[in-house]
Amino acid sequence: MLLLHCYRVRHKYSAKKEICILQLLYLGKGSARTRKMAKKKGGPKGKKITLKVAKNSIRITLDGKRRLDLSKMGIAVIPKCLLKLSDVEELDLSRNLIHKVPDWIHRFKNLRWLDLHSNQIDKVPASIGQLQSLLYLNVSNNKLTANGVPMELSQLKNLRQLNLGLNTIDALPSTIGALKELTEVGLFDNHLTAVPPSIHKLPKLKKLNTKRNPIPPPEDEMEAEQQESIQRMKDLYLVNEKDLCNPCATKCQMDRSKLKNFLALSLKPAFTMKPNSTARKNPGELR
């Protein structure tokens, strides 16, 4: 493609004299491709971490372990240079802008503590199951769904604490019940409607947080509440309203209103069945 550019430049010594400059520019396919790539170039923006910065971020914990603390540094992409520090026992990448955990995370063979909370991660890589020394895993406050929780988590046989809270998970793999060493599990603020029974049966489980999930209460718990309400009704005593003082009479009236509302809800049938005579005429209505 040929482009003709004509520039008129006034000579600085003569106002009348003009110089006409002709430029021929050839824009080939390579230049067009480069320009197109420049427009598309974007991706997640964030702070780039060099190996030197990473080395200066290593801390020694109270029990003598080496912790690589890169939290709150605005990281969007986990740099591959961290593999040169893969012998650390603890890795903190929390409160960053990370979208993806690389598959090479399994090369941190000594890792016992991994904190990835408060990022934008939507999937945990299956390779995380190879971190056999891992004791603590925190992936809370991310963008995980049911598809983002891999079955390979069940391979973390030494895991003690697992935090998946503050995500959008609506189902969990039942294989999590294979993590027999788990003592704490955080599932709060998700979209769970049920928790796999295998998790409740974990032998060493001390704390299970499922708060603020749309999980219906167990049937036995609902029956216990109904029985308690019935028992309260049995303990009622009838008195004349005129024998009560004004505050007591007002309170009784309020309690009576609440009781009527409760009875109206609890005694309401789940469905209405028509008489047998009508049902025989229209047998398809009850199917």
Side-chain angles (χ1 to χ4, degrees), residues 246-269:
N246 289 335
C248 293
T250 303
K251 188 176 185 305
C252 287
Q253 290 173 358
M254 293 174 63
D255 291 341
R256 183 168 57 188
S257 298
K258 291 180 181 178
L259 183 59
K260 285 182 179 179
N261 293 334
F262 173 78
L263 291 175
L265 292 174
S266 61
L267 299 178
K268 186 177 179 180

Side-chain angles (χ1 to χ4, degrees), residues 106-119:
H106 72 278
R107 293 171 65 178
F108 286 76
K109 297 296 185 182
N110 297 329
L111 211 59
R112 65 167 194 168
W113 194 90
L114 178 58
D115 195 346
L116 296 165
H117 86 265
S118 303
N119 279 287

Side-chain angles (χ1 to χ4, degrees), residues 116-131:
L116 296 165
H117 86 265
S118 303
N119 279 287
Q120 300 178 33
I121 301 166
D122 59 4
K123 186 177 182 181
V124 177
S127 60
I128 201 168
Q130 300 180 39
L131 298 177

